[in-house]
Amino acid sequence: MKTTELIKKENQFGAKNYKPLDVVLSKGSGIWVWDVEGNRYMDCLSAYSAVNQGHCHPKIYQALVDQAQKLTLTSRAFRNDQLPLLYEELCQLTDSHKMLPMNSGAEAVETVIKCARKWGYESKGVARGRADIIVCSDNFHGRTLSIIGFSTDDNARQNFGPFTPGFTVIPFGDADALEAAITPNTVAFLVEPVQGEAGVIIPPKGYLKRVREICTQKNVLMILDEIQTGLGRTGKLLAEEHEGVQADLTLIGKALSGGFYPVSAVLSNEAVLGLLQPGQHGSTFGGNPLACAVARAALKVLVEENMIDNAAAMGAYFLEQLRQIQHPAVKEIRGIGLMIAVELHENTPGGARGICEALQEKGILCKETHTWTIRFAPPLVITKPDIDWAMEQIREVFAELEG
Ligand SMILES: *Cc1c(COP(=O)(O)O)cnc(C)c1O
């Protein structure tokens, strides 16, 4: 079936909660994807960093198929032989004490909110019903009700209330604001090390270090949402390593399965997860053997195939190449590892969407973030010749841009 026909069906039968580029993909391998017409594109979004390991990685695929032939789901009413191994491997890899498996990223965030509140009441001694969690403006932590309740994006919130109370919003990247906002009822500070959906917003150097000090001093849990920044994207396994700190609780998801399956996890260095008793939290699919086998393989290839170091090296190269674009439409180019953004001036004809559509014509798939920012986040297996090819296309698009 051809592109127009498939798009027509999608528009007729689907909810329009996304505005995708008009490209219908049917195949992927490594950094490349193909549409139903047979055109090839370089994927510079990586499903919002869920396919860090590249599309259809053969070893993850093999793990999925092998496990699917044996056992897929037991529920947590019974034990399975994959979950303990994922627990051990992930805790050893991330230097965590415990982990709790879920499916989507939003579920991991919901889980950590429950756990942080419970810790506040049972460990810190906050009065019943008063626990408060500090979050940042322009955050993105997912789409469930309690999470959008503390979003500052009107489009994400409008007409979905009433919302869950118990959250305080402060500016991102401002450690003094955190210190000032903490009250005796504050149980946690939830933050992205780099704000992805906001447009790759990198906080000032030393921010996470100060956050760590403040949280320790005030007995507040430091929670890092590394669902997008984690697992190699920024050139480190976890972005917290850039500042040599360890969060009390860390959320990962997305690339935890290399894009094969929704798998997320809460990692804990503190005795927080230990407070959960049977029946207080769970998920039918969370920790299922298929998810665990896939996640184990996804972590293994990430490490064994040096994807994290490659992300650091190729990210630096890509950033340096992009910075050589001298075009009046470009306001700023920023990045860390393979999490890169090009921000346009707010009078650029067509905006970021226009550039993304022009790049699509040249065989590169990117997605605009808000109106003026283009994100470049290819799978971590990208090579120098791939980037050189991409740069040729990107340079042409800017050369053809009027103004
Ligand atoms: C994508 C994302 C989430 C939500 O993950 P889902 O799997 O889409 O629910 C949460 N936090 C961050 C930082 C993300 O990038």
Side-chain angles (χ1 to χ4, degrees), residues 104-106 140-142 192 225 227-228 254:
S104 69
F140 182 84
H141 296 290
E192 299 156 80
D225 180 346
I227 291 167
Q228 189 162 151
K254 293 198 166 116

Side-chain angles (χ1 to χ4, degrees), residues 77-133:
F78 312 122
R79 298 175 194 267
N80 73 69
D81 67 354
Q82 291 297 308
L83 182 56
L85 304 178
L86 177 62
Y87 278 151
E88 180 179 54
E89 287 161 14
L90 193 51
C91 285
Q92 283 177 351
L93 185 64
T94 60
D95 194 19
S96 307
H97 292 174
K98 275 189 185 297
M99 81 159 256
L100 190 155
M102 295 298 282
N103 310 285
S104 69
E107 282 178 309
V109 177
E110 291 281 348
T111 302
V112 92
I113 292 169
K114 285 174 70 175
C115 292
R117 285 178 169 184
K118 198 170 185 347
W119 173 86
Y121 300 127
E122 295 175 13
S123 209
K124 183 167 173 168
V126 171
R128 264 265 172 81
R130 302 294 294 276
D132 190 65
I133 295 175

Side-chain angles (χ1 to χ4, degrees), residues 253-276:
K254 293 198 166 116
L256 184 51
S257 70
F260 279 83
Y261 200 93
V263 190
S264 66
V266 178
L267 304 171
S268 156
N269 289 315
E270 274 279 338
V272 182
L273 285 180
L275 294 173
L276 283 175

Side-chain angles (χ1 to χ4, degrees), residues 70 127 139 155 301 329 353:
K70 288 192 283 196
N139 68 71
N155 198 33
V301 302
R353 178 79 181 194

Side-chain angles (χ1 to χ4, degrees), residues 170-182 207 210-211 214 218:
I170 61 167
F172 178 67
D174 184 346
D176 292 338
L178 171 64
E179 196 161 24
I182 291 172
Y207 176 61
R210 275 286 317 280
V211 165
I214 293 165
K218 305 260 184 167

